[in-house]
Amino acid sequence: YQKQIDLPSNTMLTRLQSYAALGNMAFTITTGASINQNESQLRDRIEFLAINLGGATADSTDPNEGFMRRYTAKVGNDALLRGEWPTPGGNPPTAAQVQLCGDWHRMLPHMGRTADTSIKFYPASVHNTNWFRAQMESLYTAKPSLRPNTSKTANWNATQDGAEAIDVIMEKPNARCYLAGDPHLVAVDRPAGSYASKYVNRGGDDTTFTANGVMGAWNAYPGTEPAVLSGRYDNGYLFPLDRFYNPNIKGVIYEPANVGVSGVVNGHITLYAKGTIVLLDDLRYANDPGANLPCMQHDILGLLSDRDIVIANNAFNAPIYYQTGSPNYMNVDDTKDFYLHGVMMAMGTSFRAEDYNTGPSNVNGCDVVNNGRGCIYLSGGIIQQARGPVGLSSGQGYAKRYSYDRCVIANPPPYFPTTGRFQDNRYIELDPAGFNPLQYFQSITQ
């Protein structure tokens, strides 16, 4: 017996683009990008970052420590941008097919590099290359104890590393995957002709940032980068989300087509996309929404899509099929569950999970119930044309663990469509003996 609340029309939201432009957050469409409800067609992604700038606290939760980066994949690299496992349903891939996932090795100084013996990330696809085996051989020559079978030669040990199958690589401690453009993927993303030889064939870490790579390129920030970022590896590609470093920002990001999203949000932001918003990995607040902060200090994110909002079926959000034996699925993300902080409005159809009815049914669990992809831990809200599916009772997909964020009412995302503010404006004395609930609700909705 409630009145229908209509979703806003697209024309009502046209001003959001101009608001975004004031803070250098209105992006132009990528050639060939799609504006539809097909989440597999994706050329751009936004990564939110919370960066410790040495402020009042020794963390990244201060109001001025929120940033974002925007990445554009090259034509034909939609699957890499989405973080897909190469063979999600067929036979397990070979190591050579896996560019985004791998393991960690030490890297000794050579080829003119300074001393650096820290652990580095190597994608599986580079293991069977001459340069990788040469690095491992130099490592075992200098430190034979780093390979269990020390009775063999360094060359033999390095050859074994290079010949490892994908199941062996992915079962190593802390093996994981990274989205296209991530600094850890330097070994497969850095073009040799654009860098000195000592900066190309190497393992990756947080700092091995490649602005223009084989897979795609990061978008340069058109404004004045804060001096506090001077010397940082991705300086020039960070978009400040706070007025402290971006005085004209209105808290709005405008995307003209389908866009992928992930990361850690510090600030008050509305992301409006003309296409589908694809959730590529966890999307969390820097300040824990369960920390009972005042709403004005509470991070808040609004995801507003003309189409759908979709959790991608990729190597980060779902178990990967990595071997034919048992077990044949495994998780390679930092958690088995999906974490989502924000209020979503899907004006096309719905918020949903991609391929919710496929994949395993008992690899993960949500609380005490086995299922395929674990829990969706949502703190925020969902507004949609029709309820979208995220899993099945038979176990495929996710189970829901949703928590409403009341700060959305007191402090909604910037310029996010609302139905107005609520206040008590009618008082009715009720006689409990003769109370008719149907008559009461009909009276307050006239």
Side-chain angles (χ1 to χ4, degrees), residues 47 63 84 93 128 154 210 240 270 277 287 313 337 354 396 417 432 436:
E47 180 180 15
E84 292 184 11
N128 195 24
T210 304
T270 292
I277 295 176
N287 293 280
N313 179 19
D337 303 300
E354 181 184 23
Q396 286 82 8
N436 184 320

Side-chain angles (χ1 to χ4, degrees), residues 261-262 278-284 303 309-312 314 316-318 333-341 344 351-353 364 373-379 398-399 401-402:
V261 186
S262 63
V278 187
L279 303 171
L280 300 175
D281 199 357
D282 296 335
L283 187 57
R284 308 189 194 213
L303 297 178
I309 300 175
V310 186
I311 302 176
N314 62 11
F316 303 85
N317 301 333
D333 198 20
D334 53 350
T335 68
K336 67 177 180 61
D337 303 300
F338 186 80
Y339 289 85
L340 176 57
H341 298 162
M344 298 174 287
F351 163 69
R352 56 185 172 83
N364 292 314
R373 304 184 199 176
C375 305
I376 298 176
Y377 287 112
L378 165 67
S379 177
Y398 298 96
R401 294 297 181 267
Y402 294 173

Side-chain angles (χ1 to χ4, degrees), residues 36-42 78 82 84 258 276-280 308 310-313 352-355:
N36 55 31
Q37 289 166 291
N38 184 353
E39 58 271 15
S40 68
Q41 298 175 347
L42 199 62
D78 298 54
R82 283 171 36 87
E84 292 184 11
N258 295 358
T276 292
I277 295 176
V278 187
L279 303 171
L280 300 175
D308 286 0
V310 186
I311 302 176
N313 179 19
R352 56 185 172 83
E354 181 184 23
D355 302 329

Side-chain angles (χ1 to χ4, degrees), residues 52-63:
N52 180 20
L53 301 178
T57 58
D59 53 32
S60 54
T61 61
D62 292 340

